[in-house]
Amino acid sequence: MGLTLLSYERMTESGEPDEQILPTLPTTRERLVEGARMCVRDRGLAGATSREITRVAGANLAAITYHFGSKDALVAAALFDELERRVGPALRALGRPGAPTERMLSAIQELAAEFERSRDDALVLLEVLLLATRDGRYRAEALRVYQALHDQLAALLGELQGDGAIPSWVTPAAMASLILAVANGIVLQTQLDPGGADHTAMAAQFAGLLLEAAQR
């Protein structure tokens, strides 16, 4: 078994990654995930073929089956890794100790910073959302990631409401869902109109509307 695995790994490592497309990563699995993410970003789901992914990753076609079972499973792994990477900083910000308003602002700043770091990958986020709506096999995974963010947002909104920072008519669970919908809409808007309003400005406008409502 050990000899077979060693021979397989040598076979999958035989191709050299395209240094102009894919950074050098330590394992074939990591290169496949990154290659799939980049193919989806540059060519969409339809263009993320097995041959194109393995070309970018510098791997053998058999590596996809070995590590993931199928190309669809590889693409799903790449997309959901992207989703978790996007929301991770905001989740950590929401979970830190401190005043609710400070945590909310910190989460917004983290999301904005992550957007800036990965502006070119925004289409990957949109693709993962489309994949989850079209295929029930992936919906549960997308909901798992989003539910964690939703629940923390709802809890924080409840604290803000208790402090009088947001109005009493706000339903925390529904508002948390609205905030997530607005965040996704901002990503889409910036892709449709790159020269339009900045994503941080749009987020600030929405937060201002919510907080201003408490003063009325």
Side-chain angles (χ1 to χ4, degrees):
M1 177 64 180
L3 181 59
T4 302
L5 179 58
L6 178 61
S7 298
Y8 178 84
E9 287 295 337
R10 285 176 176 169
M11 177 181 72
T12 61
E13 298 292 344
S14 60
E16 291 296 325
D18 187 335
E19 296 294 345
Q20 294 182 342
I21 302 176
L22 181 63
T24 301
L25 293 171
T27 69
T28 299
R29 190 182 194 283
E30 290 175 329
R31 294 207 306 273
L32 286 170
V33 169
E34 180 67 4
R37 185 187 66 79
M38 294 176 72
C39 284
V40 171
R41 180 195 68 191
D42 297 336
R43 302 168 180 83
L45 284 173
T49 64
S50 295
R51 289 191 180 279
E52 188 62 17
I53 291 170
T54 51
R55 183 192 69 79
V56 172
N60 189 287
L61 275 171
I64 293 179
T65 302
Y66 179 80
H67 288 284
F68 296 94
S70 69
K71 188 265 290 186
D72 287 344
L74 164 59
V75 171
L79 293 180
F80 288 118
D81 278 356
E82 176 72 10
L83 181 58
E84 295 215 48
R85 184 173 66 82
R86 288 272 182 169
V87 304
L91 279 172
R92 291 189 288 274
L94 291 172
R96 294 182 190 127
T101 51
E102 293 175 356
R103 285 152 55 201
M104 177 69 81
L105 289 173
S106 178
I108 292 173
Q109 290 170 352
E110 290 288 358
L111 285 173
E114 181 58 38
F115 187 94
E116 285 296 333
R117 285 192 293 269
S118 309
R119 182 184 288 270
D120 292 341
D121 295 331
L123 287 176
V124 180
L125 176 61
L126 297 177
E127 290 284 9
V128 72
L129 297 177
L130 286 173
L131 179 65
T133 59
R134 291 169 177 166
D135 195 325
R137 293 175 299 173
Y138 305 122
R139 186 174 295 114
E141 181 67 12
L143 286 176
R144 178 188 66 78
V145 177
Y146 263 85
Q147 195 64 48
L149 185 55
H150 173 276
D151 290 349
Q152 287 207 43
L153 277 173
L156 186 57
L157 288 167
E159 293 181 43
L160 288 168
Q161 197 171 54
D163 290 346
I166 61 175
S168 59
W169 56 260
V170 169
T171 302
M175 183 58 72
S177 293
L178 177 58
I179 290 173
L180 291 175
V182 169
N184 291 330
I186 287 174
V187 172
L188 179 59
Q189 180 64 26
T190 56
Q191 293 300 304
L192 288 173
D193 185 14
D198 183 77
H199 65 281
T200 53
M202 287 187 279
Q205 288 286 302
F206 180 76
L209 285 173
L210 181 59
L211 296 173
E212 179 68 21
Q215 310 303 318
R216 297 182 181 279

